[in-house]
Amino acid sequence: MSDARTWWPHGAPATGRRSFDAVVLDTDGVITDSARVHAAAWKTAFDACLRDRPPDEPGDRRPFDVTTDYLRYVDGRSRQDGAAAFLAARGVPIPAGSPEDPPGTDTVGAVAAYKEQLFTRRLAEDGIEAYPGTLRLLRRLRTGPVPTAAVSASRHARELLTRAGVMPCLDALVDGGEAARMGLPGKPDPALFLEAAARLAVPPESCVVVEDALAGVEAGRRGGFGLVVGVDRTGGPGTAAALRDHGADLVVRDLADLLDDDAPPGRTEPPEEWA
């Protein structure tokens, strides 16, 4: 690619590359402010399950934590995988069931379905917005133009991105529905990111991956991507260190931190239709 279609993130460490040819971003918690809604829905579903089917160990009966437990067990994973990981970690005596189970607390599949029901209801009631800093970054890359793609384990990703007005900024999207159709494994496997890079026709080593989930950061590292940026929205104790431990080259609080406003590539104002 020509220099007009490359980008070097502000604050990025030296990697031996002068620039990168594409950017692949996670959706929940990176592009849209939807991670909090997912986490709240998971808390209601998991806490109900912990009450109905309490683990043998009293210490394992503590409520689901929307920060630490969400990041450790469910963020970036499919619903079924996330539910299974948390319930297994707490020693909840519950069968796996099936993804087709109705919402409830009797099986892992039922808990995942209950979470889905809660999330869909809250999405309809409250809506979702994109992070302003992320929109600034996407619009700047668009004027480069640097190709961008979004990935998500959620089947709601296209709806979320459309409602948040982000789809015009993206060249490709690989969501949970497509992952299921193509048989792509979930994070920390890099398959979602690799598929997105392939759709942009850019090799992984020439791409930047941007992720807030530990599993997603690990996926970016496993996939051989040229730069892995971790996003720490919470600023919680140890979060940035955990992101680095899982493979992040750089950790930021907001994606606007990746912009060098003193030397902006191309036009700095977004096109009128994105205002």
Side-chain angles (χ1 to χ4, degrees), residues 19 21 41 44 80 104 107 129-130 137 154 160 179 196 209 218 221 238:
S19 58
D21 298 331
T44 300
Q80 199 75 12
T107 68
E129 295 183 354
L137 173 63
S154 172
L160 291 173
V209 160
E218 184 176 338
R221 178 56 58 225

Side-chain angles (χ1 to χ4, degrees), residues 1-270:
M1 289 187 178
S2 68
D3 288 344
R5 292 175 58 85
T6 60
W7 176 60
W8 177 248
H10 178 63
T15 63
R17 293 191 62 90
R18 191 179 66 176
S19 58
F20 295 92
D21 298 331
V23 182
V24 181
L25 306 94
D26 178 47
T27 299
D28 297 314
V30 173
I31 299 178
T32 59
D33 186 17
S34 44
R36 60 180 176 82
V37 186
H38 281 292
W42 277 122
K43 179 171 178 59
T44 300
F46 283 140
D47 286 356
C49 184
L50 290 167
R51 289 192 301 268
D52 293 348
R53 305 176 70 90
D56 293 334
E57 293 293 329
D60 287 339
R61 300 173 193 171
R62 65 190 184 280
F64 176 81
D65 187 282
V66 295
T67 300
T68 58
D69 288 331
Y70 179 74
L71 290 173
R72 183 174 298 142
Y73 299 112
V74 299
D75 192 16
R77 302 178 189 267
S78 69
R79 283 196 307 275
Q80 199 75 12
D81 289 348
F86 174 77
L87 295 171
R90 290 293 185 88
V92 175
I94 188 172
S98 161
E100 285 72 45
D101 287 349
T105 59
D106 294 334
T107 68
V108 173
V111 173
Y114 184 25
K115 179 267 173 182
E116 170 69 358
Q117 182 184 69
L118 293 165
F119 177 80
T120 302
R121 183 183 305 156
R122 290 171 183 174
L123 177 62
E125 292 172 352
D126 302 329
I128 294 294
E129 295 183 354
Y131 287 103
T134 301
L135 281 176
R136 283 183 60 202
L137 173 63
L138 287 172
R139 289 163 174 168
R140 186 73 60 81
L141 294 173
R142 198 67 169 168
T143 62
V146 176
T148 58
V151 304
S152 177
S154 172
R155 296 171 185 259
H156 294 284
R158 185 172 294 276
E159 177 187 2
L160 291 173
L161 293 167
T162 299
R163 292 176 63 170
V166 179
M167 284 304 296
C169 301
L170 300 171
D171 298 289
L173 168 64
V174 183
D175 63 8
E178 292 193 54
R181 178 179 59 82
M182 299 175 68
L184 300 178
K187 306 167 190 175
D189 190 284
L192 284 173
F193 289 125
L194 292 173
E195 175 62 22
R199 294 185 185 191
L200 297 178
V202 176
E205 62 270 19
S206 298
C207 288
V208 177
V209 160
V210 186
E211 254 285 3
D212 70 320
L214 300 181
V217 167
E218 184 176 338
R221 178 56 58 225
R222 287 189 188 184
F225 285 83
L227 186 74
V228 180
V229 177
V231 182
D232 175 13
R233 298 283 185 194
T234 68
T239 304
L243 289 166
R244 290 191 178 93
D245 288 345
H246 280 73
D249 300 298
L250 171 69
V251 177
V252 297
R253 292 293 301 274
D254 186 86
L255 268 63
D257 297 341
L258 297 173
L259 292 171
D260 183 357
D261 289 326
D262 292 331
R267 187 173 55 198
T268 59
E269 294 300 319

